[in-house]
Amino acid sequence: MIRTELRYHRPDTPGEASALLDDHAHDTVVLGGGTMLLPMMHRAEITARHVLDLRGLALDTVTEHAGHVEIGAMATYRHLLDSPMLARRVPLLPRMAAGITGGEQLRNLGTIGGSACFANPSSDVPAVLVALGATLRLHGPAGHRDVAAANFFHGAFTTDLADGEFLASLLVPHQRGRNGYHKLKLSEGSWPIVTAVATVDPERGTAEVTVGAAQAAPVRIDLTTLLGADGRLHLDSIDALVRDRIDDPWSDVLTDGAYRRVVAGVVARRAVIDLIGPNR
Amino acid sequence: MLSQFATLAEAAAPTLDERNSMVSTDGARVPVEQSPRRDGDLLLTGRAEYLDDLEPAGTLHAAILRSPHPHARIRAVDPEAARRCRGVRAVVTGAEALDLVGPLPHSFDPGDVGGRTAVVRVLAVDEVRFVGDPVAVVVADSTANAEAALDAIRVDYEALPAVVEFEQAMAESAPRVFGDWADNVLLRLPYSVGDAEAALARSPYVLKEEFRIQRYQAAPLEPRGYLADWAASGKLTVYASTQNPHLLRTNLARIFDLREDRIRVVATRLGGAFGHKFAGYPEEALVCLLSRMVGAPVKWVESREEALLVGAREFATELAVGFDSTGRILAIKGELVGNVGCLSTWGGWPMVFPAGLIFPGPYHVPDCAINSVAVVTNKAPWGGARGYGKEASTLVLERAVDLIAERLGLDPVDVRMRNFVPPDAFPYWSMAKHLDSGDYPGALAKAVRLSGYHRQRVRQREARAEGRLLGVGVAFELTPEGADFAGSFARGYDTSTVRVSPAGGVTVLTGVTTPGTGNETSIAALVAREFGLPADAVSVVQGDTDACPLGFGNSSSRSLTAGGGAAVLAARTVRERMASAAAVLLDVPVGGLVFARGEIVSGDRRIGFAELADQVYRNAYAIPGLDDPLLEATMVERPLNSHYVPDEEGRTSGYPNYPYSAHVGVVEVDAETGRVELLEYTVIDDCGVRISPNFVAGQRYGAIVMGVGGALFEELPYDANGKPLAKTFKHYLVPRASDVLDIRLEHQVTPSPYTLLGTKGAGEGGVSGTVACLANAVNDALRPLGVRVHQMPLSAPRVLRAIRSAAGAA
């Protein structure tokens, strides 16, 4: 049970929300879907005295803009799965959401924004956002500030969010073509052990893979050097290249960093194969 | 008339053959009605109530301060600040509890069987011996306030050296978990038959292997919970998510120096138990103590983090097996060491008994010697867990059989067939087991056919040719059931009452309880059959010590064999009395009476079941011959295959029933990640007569899934400092629906000649066989690489390490 005496806030405007966050810096938690936060509060792993619920800010929308989509911070995995527009514009997001462990209840409550802000290394969302080139729109006492996903995730459970700031929305560019995606878990109920998103742009002659859960923060790895003159990607070289880049692998109760580092190369290669097929 | 009565009276004490019959009064075989699961609608729609749904007016809530140290001296506990916290009604420390409550009775005192023992208190007094050891308890108006007050209790600990793994515990000059013991060995249990040493020495081949099975537990979805209400009248009522309400009542009587008639324990509906809810935990007494102190109902519900403290099954085994060139096993010698955690009163450490006595399993091995050793450490104690140590030994034995096959280039099925106790050898003494009946080769042959075993081997050759790691596993599981250890409260007998009321109501009150498996539905159907009634005409009352006859609750798969058998005997006793009354009222001979379709019929004369009951109660003694209005009987059903007293060869057998199953599994190992994918799973099960085949199948599927979890994922890791690491189901991975696959399950029926209904027990079978089968399948998959994994679970990281060790060696 939550042991601390709590003050519950449900502001109606972003300005109020930031003011509350500023007033009670370091003693306020932002409530999104609550699927991580509330159990942790019940276990007394988080003992803040103020809860700021974003529910009053109408942030649960997914909207299409020219060249990008905007996903409100309160949009759940269910929203991602149910949006025909997302399926067309950023199909990787519903694909990721379909693989979120925890069943219907979790998909109906859990938010992609909440997962980003929690920044658990062993999770799907951070690497997917980095791979998609998403921008996180943060709201603070001075108004909005946009941060590229690649700069948002500082490390395990730490992000670029400053005092008084909360995540308002995610701006995700329309996907140009398909991405390859692969996730390794130990069992259905397991957190992701390593995830990877592969992107190949034949026109520009670039290839990259974004590896998640292998280190404290997602790692974007350029594979362009593995593209041959004939435009073919040397699949056999991916493992070693990726492993070299996973120099500080993440360990948790499920498995150690040594395993993550070994399989990171495999998962990255499988994401590439998911995109271009085994024989390209 | 008298002679006919005599015939019925004789039927009440049936001979062995009659005990095994399924024949009803009229001589016809009447099937047991297969009615839907009682309360299935409530369960499926989330309306069933569990312990935590009970909240009598004024209920207070308890929270427990637990040791953060694996081993420490308690210098001082200061509860004063906590007493001033919001909503707090009382705080009790270990030292304070000393004067308020007696020591906790051991579920099974190791001192009674030649082991060491210790006095266990409701809260630690001078010393804590594991992370999670209860130190103080708070009761408050809410769980939140009680938990908040825990932070205000100041405990001054002096850390002491701890032992975590069994090697540390057994090392020379190891720190001792209990300072007054000479070492950390709780108990050594030697089992032997013949002369294993000599037989090994003359065996043409000997293999020696080490195996480890991990610490993992039963993980019921509903954790434990207790609600005590010590009324001003002096009567103590306890609602408990427990498997043993009567034992709990007796324990409380001893702890509080109170007679049992002043205590009522009600076992609530269980959301899973699997041994995790055997009576014997300190929280059972703590809620009673607090309720007495504050004069209000007090509830405590275990958190998942607390539930995951409970250990089980962690064994390290060294085995030597002698065999000849045909694969005949000639000798087995081995030592199993269980890291049972700290000794406490929880019901887990005795799994070292079955772990040792299960050898040599289903095989005929004349010379066998097993030393089963329980070692204490500063991990949390063991609780019960389905499989109860049998999974550890089945794993070892079945791996050994596969290794013999590998060594000799034989098929593992053939090696098993060559070693089985033959069907015509039963009953059969197998070390410390008197095996009841069985057709082991028949079951394995069926599994071979149903699984398409030979086709799977072809498939494996094709896969290997492509460089894929496909494995086919075979395992045979023998599961001793109905634990009947005289001198303890782990007994194989149980008691049921059947009562017929004037309007025809039939109530069964039984000493066995249900963990949620549906045995109440089966017991009702069994009793209904005796009376010729529909199953829904019979109610079953379980778990209430004020209503039910004394019994041992739920353990060791004996609910139907003992409790169901006793209910059938009681129903037959009542039926005889009703039959003699009907004979009087209908003026017919008692011999021709048939109980069917709600009536008692003889020729063209008939009387309704309810009408007969009504007449008996109204007119007893007033109508000549109507002289027994006691339409109620209480009977005991005992296991006839228990051997308490050593025979001329010194043998005893504490398990009366021996169901078994044959398993074939096909897996593919991902060579790059170590992940194991289940491709096919086939089981032939033989638990004797099945009263409710649907429920048996449900039990078997659940047991197989539990086996999958234990084989592949579930683990309770500790760090080197003695800290448990798994706190939630995101750390402790149980299988989910998509981790398993369609299971092919069929049955063979070899009735027990020793039980009334021919049943053998259906609760545990499948756990051990699945653990062993998957270990064999994964090792079979890895065989082309020349590596083995004998440390469980076969998690992806562990399997990949083995694969890479092969690559590194190459």
Side-chain angles (χ1 to χ4, degrees):
Chain A
M1 293 295 145
I2 296 173
R3 302 174 178 191
T4 41
E5 207 169 337
L6 281 181
R7 182 87 195 277
Y8 172 83
H9 307 271
R10 193 167 71 183
D12 296 323
T13 66
E16 275 177 72
S18 285
L20 279 164
L21 279 170
D22 212 25
D23 288 351
H24 308 293
H26 310 296
D27 202 15
T28 306
V29 284
V30 176
L31 176 65
T35 59
M36 287 306 303
L37 177 65
L38 295 181
M40 290 180 77
M41 292 176 79
H42 277 284
R43 293 194 296 268
E45 292 163 6
I46 292 175
T47 54
R49 283 182 299 170
H50 296 268
V51 171
L52 192 152
D53 190 345
L54 296 183
R55 212 153 303 237
L57 303 182
L59 295 176
D60 60 348
T61 54
V62 180
T63 43
E64 182 172 12
H65 298 276
H68 74 276
V69 297
E70 182 167 14
I71 298 167
M74 290 295 281
T76 62
Y77 296 114
R78 173 56 53 204
H79 283 108
L80 304 187
L81 288 165
D82 286 353
S83 164
M85 182 272 289
L86 268 188
R88 213 169 50 244
R89 292 302 190 190
V90 199
L92 182 61
L93 288 175
R95 187 175 175 193
M96 174 203 74
I100 295 288
T101 301
E104 289 299 300
Q105 296 97 323
L106 196 124
R107 286 194 278 271
N108 287 341
L109 278 173
T111 62
I112 177 173
S115 181
C117 293
F118 185 49
N120 180 2
S122 304
S123 61
D124 288 275
V125 168
V128 164
L129 292 180
V130 170
L132 289 171
T135 298
L136 290 94
R137 178 157 289 173
L138 313 181
H139 192 281
H144 282 124
R145 173 168 80 93
D146 286 353
V147 182
N151 300 325
F152 180 74
F153 299 103
H154 290 185
F157 307 102
T158 57
T159 67
D160 203 51
L161 278 164
D163 289 352
E165 285 186 334
F166 66 92
L167 176 70
S169 64
L170 300 156
L171 311 177
V172 186
H174 294 170
Q175 253 176 264
R176 299 193 311 145
R178 224 166 60 82
N179 284 319
Y181 176 61
H182 192 79
K183 172 160 77 169
L184 176 70
K185 299 196 287 184
L186 299 185
S187 73
E188 183 59 31
S190 150
W191 281 320
I193 298 301
V194 175
T195 70
V197 181
T199 315
V200 175
D201 189 332
E203 288 168 23
R204 296 186 192 170
T206 61
E208 65 170 35
V209 64
T210 306
V211 178
Q215 302 221 124
V219 184
R220 208 166 179 168
I221 301 169
D222 189 355
L223 302 180
T224 305
T225 54
L226 302 185
L227 278 171
D230 55 356
R232 292 162 74 99
L233 196 63
H234 296 291
L235 292 174
D236 293 345
S237 307
I238 295 175
D239 285 45
L241 190 133
V242 168
R243 276 174 203 160
D244 269 1
R245 290 289 309 278
I246 305 301
D247 48 8
D248 187 13
W250 176 245
S251 287
D252 62 15
V253 58
L254 292 183
T255 189
D256 59 14
Y259 179 73
R260 282 194 164 86
R261 184 163 180 270
V262 169
V263 293
V266 178
V267 172
R269 170 162 42 83
R270 288 180 183 182
V272 172
I273 290 171
D274 177 60
L275 179 62
I276 65 175
N279 300 315
R280 170 84 198 256
Chain B
M1 171 95 192
L2 260 181
S3 66
Q4 282 150 352
F5 203 168
T7 309
L8 264 175
E10 273 177 23
T15 65
L16 197 64
D17 282 349
E18 284 165 330
R19 291 171 69 91
N20 190 29
S21 78
M22 300 282 282
V23 181
S24 191
T25 339
D26 56 354
R29 290 181 77 86
V30 181
V32 178
E33 184 181 330
Q34 299 299 312
S35 49
R37 167 70 178 272
R38 298 207 159 182
D39 293 346
D41 52 342
L42 297 181
L43 294 165
L44 282 176
T45 55
R47 288 176 294 156
E49 288 204 330
Y50 298 88
L51 185 280
D52 201 21
D53 295 313
L54 302 177
E55 187 89 0
T59 295
L60 302 175
H61 299 267
I64 295 163
L65 183 70
R66 296 178 183 277
S67 167
H69 300 286
H71 198 185
R73 187 162 294 122
I74 299 174
R75 286 208 198 101
V77 182
D78 180 3
E80 291 312 319
R83 290 193 166 116
R84 293 190 298 271
C85 286
R86 186 175 62 178
V88 170
R89 298 286 294 274
V91 181
V92 183
T93 67
E96 291 164 345
L98 265 183
D99 297 331
L100 302 170
V101 48
L104 301 176
H106 284 275
S107 304
F108 197 117
D109 193 333
D112 292 346
V113 287
R116 295 198 170 98
T117 191
V119 175
V120 180
R121 292 283 171 176
V122 74
L123 295 166
V125 182
D126 304 314
E127 207 169 312
V128 287
R129 294 189 172 87
F130 59 93
V131 172
D133 208 350
V135 172
V137 64
V138 175
V139 61
D141 56 356
S142 69
T143 306
N145 281 340
E147 289 182 352
L150 296 180
D151 297 339
I153 300 174
R154 262 170 282 286
V155 186
D156 182 9
Y157 291 106
E158 175 193 344
L160 296 172
V163 287
V164 184
E165 304 306 334
F166 87 93
E167 296 96 329
Q168 295 171 275
M170 292 181 87
E172 286 288 321
S173 68
R176 278 160 296 149
V177 176
F178 294 93
D180 56 342
W181 294 13
D183 57 33
N184 289 312
V185 176
L186 173 67
L187 180 67
R188 292 180 193 273
L189 293 168
Y191 294 99
S192 79
V193 61
D195 186 343
E197 195 70 59
L200 268 182
R202 62 172 183 266
S203 294
Y205 298 86
V206 174
L207 72 85
K208 289 181 177 165
E209 280 290 336
E210 288 183 34
F211 307 87
R212 297 278 178 105
I213 190 164
Q214 78 278 20
R215 179 182 172 100
Y216 72 112
Q217 63 152 226
L221 271 190
E222 183 212 25
R224 294 182 298 126
Y226 312 102
L227 167 65
D229 186 3
W230 204 315
S233 66
K235 175 103 182 186
L236 169 62
T237 302
V238 181
Y239 295 89
S241 181
T242 183
Q243 291 173 251
N244 316 96
H246 277 100
L247 177 57
L248 173 51
R249 185 183 64 162
T250 297
N251 287 346
L252 293 173
R254 300 226 163 103
I255 294 164
F256 291 101
D257 193 18
L258 200 66
R259 289 200 323 273
E260 282 139 321
D261 55 287
R262 308 296 294 156
I263 307 171
R264 178 187 178 206
V265 174
V266 180
T268 51
R269 182 192 298 284
L270 299 186
F274 313 110
H276 185 84
K277 295 173 182 175
F278 284 159
Y281 292 97
E283 294 88 354
E284 298 158 352
L286 279 174
V287 290
C288 301
L289 170 67
L290 294 169
S291 178
R292 189 175 67 183
M293 291 173 69
V294 299
V298 173
K299 182 159 83 176
W300 173 82
V301 176
E302 188 179 49
S303 69
R304 184 59 60 192
E305 183 175 347
E306 289 171 314
L308 286 172
L309 287 171
V310 179
R313 300 161 166 158
E314 182 181 3
F315 279 98
T317 305
E318 285 181 15
L319 204 69
V321 182
F323 52 101
D324 68 16
S325 60
T326 69
R328 272 289 306 158
I329 303 172
L330 304 174
I332 297 178
K333 185 166 181 287
E335 181 165 88
L336 294 79
V337 179
N339 179 346
V340 303
C342 183
L343 174 64
S344 188
T345 51
W346 310 2
W349 74 261
M351 62 182 81
V352 295
F353 285 92
L357 69 76
I358 201 169
F359 286 91
Y363 307 114
H364 169 71
V365 181
D367 298 286
C368 184
I370 298 292
N371 199 16
S372 187
V373 185
V375 172
V376 294
T377 63
N378 294 108
K379 291 183 179 179
W382 283 5
R386 189 196 214 176
Y388 210 76
K390 302 160 202 168
E391 65 292 88
S393 301
T394 302
L395 165 76
V396 168
L397 192 54
E398 291 301 289
R399 271 304 295 144
V401 174
D402 266 32
L403 291 169
I404 293 171
E406 193 176 320
R407 176 84 161 267
L408 297 175
L410 299 173
D411 189 292
V413 169
D414 295 339
V415 175
R416 285 178 174 80
M417 290 293 190
R418 219 155 275 174
N419 285 286
F420 280 137
V421 174
D424 59 8
F426 294 92
Y428 174 87
W429 269 108
S430 169
M431 206 162 72
K433 302 177 294 300
H434 188 249
L435 304 180
D436 43 9
S437 62
D439 178 2
Y440 305 157
L444 184 55
K446 287 184 182 73
V448 164
R449 268 200 306 279
L450 185 62
S451 64
Y453 175 76
H454 299 292
R455 200 180 65 242
Q456 304 294 356
R457 287 292 182 201
V458 173
R459 177 185 183 184
Q460 177 179 42
R461 277 196 291 279
E462 291 165 2
R464 278 181 178 166
E466 296 169 13
R468 289 160 54 206
L469 300 177
L470 193 103
V472 182
V474 180
F476 199 92
E477 165 195 307
L478 180 73
T479 307
E481 291 290 25
D484 189 26
F485 290 94
S488 77
F489 282 136
R491 293 308 308 270
Y493 70 90
D494 220 297
T495 306
S496 299
T497 297
V498 169
R499 179 183 294 157
V500 175
S501 303
V506 181
T507 307
V508 182
L509 304 111
T510 177
V512 298
T513 57
T514 175
T517 51
N519 68 40
E520 72 296 326
T521 308
S522 306
I523 291 171
L526 283 168
V527 168
R529 180 174 66 162
E530 295 299 322
F531 289 123
L533 294 171
D536 68 6
V538 178
S539 290
V540 178
V541 180
Q542 296 174 291
D544 184 341
T545 60
D546 267 10
C548 299
L550 194 139
F552 301 107
N554 168 241
S555 68
S556 206
S557 302
R558 45 178 278 291
S559 297
L560 280 195
T561 300
V568 168
L569 293 178
R572 287 178 184 169
T573 304
V574 173
R575 188 183 68 199
E576 279 163 45
R577 294 176 191 155
M578 293 183 76
S580 61
V584 170
L585 292 170
L586 298 175
D587 194 20
V588 297
V590 74
L593 285 166
V594 174
F595 285 65
R597 288 173 290 281
E599 292 182 323
I600 295 87
V601 183
S602 177
D604 59 354
R605 302 196 185 176
R606 62 190 59 222
I607 183 169
F609 182 84
E611 172 67 9
L612 174 59
D614 184 81
Q615 286 296 315
V616 169
Y617 284 112
R618 286 179 193 274
N619 290 312
Y621 310 119
I623 293 177
L626 213 61
D627 53 7
D628 192 354
L630 182 59
L631 300 188
E632 173 168 330
T634 299
M635 299 291 281
V636 176
E637 173 62 0
R638 59 166 289 196
L640 293 179
N641 190 33
S642 288
H643 300 266
Y644 312 108
V645 181
D647 69 359
E648 65 281 358
E649 293 180 44
R651 300 174 297 202
T652 59
S653 181
Y655 283 94
N657 308 316
Y658 296 90
Y660 53 90
S661 52
H663 299 236
V664 176
V666 183
V667 303
E668 180 156 3
V669 175
D670 182 333
E672 293 185 327
T673 65
R675 265 210 72 163
V676 175
E677 186 188 358
L678 302 185
L679 301 179
E680 305 213 15
Y681 208 80
T682 304
V683 173
I684 300 294
D685 174 61
D686 190 343
C687 58
V689 171
R690 289 171 298 148
I691 303 301
S692 305
N694 269 344
F695 299 163
V696 172
Q699 291 262 28
R700 205 54 71 249
Y701 292 130
I704 292 163
V705 171
M706 199 172 259
V708 170
L712 302 182
F713 317 126
E714 294 180 45
E715 189 163 18
L716 291 166
Y718 274 72
D719 70 13
N721 300 319
K723 205 170 81 175
L725 300 176
K727 297 182 177 183
T728 79
F729 277 157
K730 297 307 284 185
H731 307 151
Y732 183 88
L733 301 176
V734 293
R736 305 215 181 162
S738 45
D739 287 313
V740 276
L741 71 176
D742 286 344
I743 295 161
R744 276 195 222 98
L745 172 66
E746 287 189 8
H747 298 269
Q748 171 177 289
V749 179
T750 313
S752 166
Y754 300 108
T755 63
L756 179 67
L757 304 165
T759 53
K760 294 183 176 181
E764 294 185 281
V767 174
S768 310
T770 306
V771 169
C773 183
L774 293 181
N776 279 341
V778 170
N779 279 287
D780 188 52
L782 299 181
R783 211 171 138 185
L785 305 177
V787 293
R788 291 173 186 152
V789 187
H790 283 175
Q791 161 79 61
M792 305 295 280
L794 302 164
S795 61
R798 181 167 289 125
V799 172
L800 188 65
R801 262 201 303 281
I803 291 170
R804 286 173 65 84
S805 74

